[in-house]
Amino acid sequence: MMLHHLEPLPPDPLLGLTDRFNSDTRDTKVDLGVGMYQNEAGEVPVMRAIRKAEHRVLDSLTSLAYVGAPGVKAFVTHAPTLVLGNTVSPDRVACLQTIAGTGALYLIMALVKRASPDATLWLPNPTWPNHHQIAEQTGLSVKTYPYYDRATHWVTLEAAMEALADAGPNDVVLFHACCHNPTGGDPTVQQWEQLADLANNQGFQVLMDTAYLGLGDGLVEDARSIQIMANKLPELFVALSASKSFGIYRERVGAAIVVTRDTAIRDIAQSQMTQIARSTYSLAPAHGGAVVGTVLADDALYQEWADEIEEMGARLRALRNGLADRLANLTGSDRFDFIRHEKGMFSFLGISAAQVDQLIDQFGVYAVSSSRINIGGLREANLDYVANAIAQVIAD
């Protein structure tokens, strides 16, 4: 008997929010909580290239045997190029397929813990809450640096750089490569250059969390922060999630990518990550990796996917402008104009937790208590309803 000593844990707030939404019987309800992209029909769509690739994978299937330890060959071959482009020689890059971006983060943090047991992980404040939990599981010490000014609704670069001046060679600093979750605020190209220079001068390692590639300013633009870091730093960690960019959420596809000084260190990193994976989940599931790998390896499918991710990004930008326009008209102010300038799927509305509860209870508009909303849950058909709900809540 040992389990009776444990205490029950509260349910995950986001999963609990989903349960509440699913049990809500109102026809007007709107889910702006969970971070999934929805189309105008309110569906989480299967992307056109993904559907074609999946048919191709299934049609060519002759065995369900294990794939090799690194993962599906086409995926681990092409995933690094997706984020690094041609900035780094492939013989400096270790890559392992993981169980989505969460698995990539865990694998990289566990590798850091092995390499430097006393290392400290610096996380932006605010950040995706699971970053803290993954760091705790791997035993890393955590510090935070200021990232976002709630008054101006934008990145606090000067404060971030001032705090990170205390980071050194035994530290790893995590940045969101694009489309910061939960704020939508991203540094400019010039600011990324400054952060890369700071990392180089201070000697700290950088971990780029990459979950929304293509949904901000475009595939090339969204990868630029990673390539700036790769150009200036001798080593770099990249956690890549395919969930949002390929609409393949439930298949749990990701990659842990490590840029190293040379081939010898690459082989060490590859072997260490392989052993960590072996002792936790052994091998990543093959199907999703095979589907994404098929898209990345085929020029026609890649272009079709790139076109569709550009359509999705453009639609998100249009929804941002549409919500900001309506709120400006309803409030007679530019209070929510910041929504236009953010990137990707998320935005902080800057309202109180009590006002978020009011949105849910009175209007069935579901958001996280921090006031983070998922722009990808909006539709042209519900923009007026959502804007009116927000305007009424802040007027009360």
Side-chain angles (χ1 to χ4, degrees):
M1 296 282 289
M2 64 174 67
L3 297 182
H4 64 285
H5 293 296
L6 296 176
E7 295 291 333
L9 295 175
D12 182 281
L14 198 53
L15 298 180
L17 190 69
T18 299
D19 291 340
R20 285 184 65 187
F21 177 83
N22 290 336
S23 63
D24 192 327
T25 58
R26 288 173 286 188
D27 292 336
T28 53
K29 66 181 181 179
V30 182
D31 183 6
L32 303 183
V34 177
M36 293 190 293
Y37 175 90
Q38 299 175 28
N39 60 20
E40 279 300 315
E43 303 165 335
V44 179
V46 179
M47 297 180 76
R48 298 184 295 268
I50 290 293
R51 189 178 296 279
K52 291 178 181 178
E54 186 162 45
H55 284 306
R56 192 178 299 181
V57 168
L58 291 174
D59 288 346
S60 63
L61 189 66
T62 59
S63 173
L64 292 175
Y66 295 124
V67 297
V72 175
K73 184 176 181 180
F75 178 70
V76 296
T77 298
H78 294 281
T81 305
L82 185 64
V83 292
L84 295 169
N86 297 318
T87 57
V88 176
S89 172
D91 62 10
R92 290 178 52 208
V93 180
C95 181
L96 200 77
Q97 184 183 335
T98 60
I99 301 177
T102 303
L105 287 163
Y106 178 86
L107 206 61
I108 290 169
M109 291 185 198
L111 177 65
V112 169
K113 182 66 176 179
R114 281 192 176 187
S116 183
D118 297 326
T120 296
L121 177 69
W122 291 72
L123 296 174
N125 180 23
T127 193
W128 182 46
N130 215 19
H131 283 149
H132 288 273
Q133 298 183 64
I134 299 167
E136 180 181 348
Q137 287 295 318
T138 57
L140 286 174
S141 299
V142 173
K143 290 183 179 180
T144 62
Y145 63 92
Y147 181 82
Y148 180 78
D149 186 337
R150 292 174 183 267
T152 62
H153 298 281
W154 205 242
V155 178
T156 56
L157 183 73
E158 289 184 5
M161 293 189 68
E162 182 178 347
L164 293 176
D166 291 334
N170 204 39
D171 296 313
V172 177
V173 178
L174 184 146
F175 297 111
H176 297 234
C178 64
C179 309
H180 182 271
N181 177 9
T183 70
D186 288 349
T188 64
V189 170
Q190 183 181 15
Q191 289 172 333
W192 280 120
E193 295 277 359
Q194 291 176 267
L195 290 167
D197 288 338
L198 180 67
N200 199 30
N201 293 335
Q202 297 292 120
F204 61 75
Q205 302 281 89
V206 170
L207 166 53
M208 302 294 282
D209 187 5
T210 313
Y212 305 96
L213 196 71
L215 294 174
D217 291 322
L219 284 171
V220 173
E221 295 83 357
D222 289 352
R224 188 164 290 142
S225 62
I226 301 170
Q227 293 167 20
I228 288 170
M229 293 292 178
N231 267 323
K232 296 198 174 195
L233 304 178
E235 293 184 347
L236 177 67
F237 301 112
V238 182
L240 174 65
S241 170
S243 297
K244 279 78 174 178
S245 299
F246 292 85
I248 199 163
Y249 303 89
R250 68 174 64 171
E251 298 296 345
R252 315 308 294 143
V253 181
I257 300 167
V258 183
V259 177
T260 64
R261 293 174 182 270
D262 53 43
T263 302
I265 302 299
R266 178 207 62 188
D267 292 344
I268 291 171
Q270 188 77 39
S271 67
Q272 290 284 339
M273 289 196 297
T274 299
Q275 199 281 328
I276 294 168
R278 177 64 174 156
S279 64
T280 50
Y281 59 87
S282 191
L283 301 170
H287 179 74
V291 172
V292 176
T294 298
V295 172
L296 295 177
D298 183 277
D299 289 345
L301 286 178
Y302 180 92
Q303 188 58 55
E304 186 167 10
W305 166 72
D307 290 344
E308 188 165 5
I309 196 74
E310 173 55 35
E311 293 168 12
M312 292 163 63
R315 181 170 171 269
L316 288 172
R317 293 188 289 274
L319 289 169
R320 284 186 177 280
N321 284 323
L323 181 60
D325 286 343
R326 286 163 173 81
L327 286 170
N329 290 332
L330 289 166
T331 65
S333 75
D334 62 357
R335 173 177 173 176
F336 294 98
D337 211 47
F338 60 88
I339 295 173
R340 305 179 194 277
H341 310 297
E342 296 165 335
K343 312 292 183 183
M345 291 176 60
F346 300 115
S347 178
F348 263 162
L349 288 180
I351 62 177
S352 69
Q355 289 171 321
V356 171
D357 288 339
Q358 194 177 345
L359 274 179
I360 296 172
D361 295 338
Q362 288 186 222
F363 301 98
V365 176
Y366 285 76
V368 181
S369 61
S370 64
S371 82
R372 187 202 81 172
I373 63 169
N374 172 26
I375 300 296
L378 292 169
R379 289 176 276 161
E380 284 292 333
N382 63 28
L383 275 177
D384 287 330
Y385 180 77
V386 170
N388 273 293
I390 294 170
Q392 288 189 49
V393 162
I394 65 172
D396 289 346

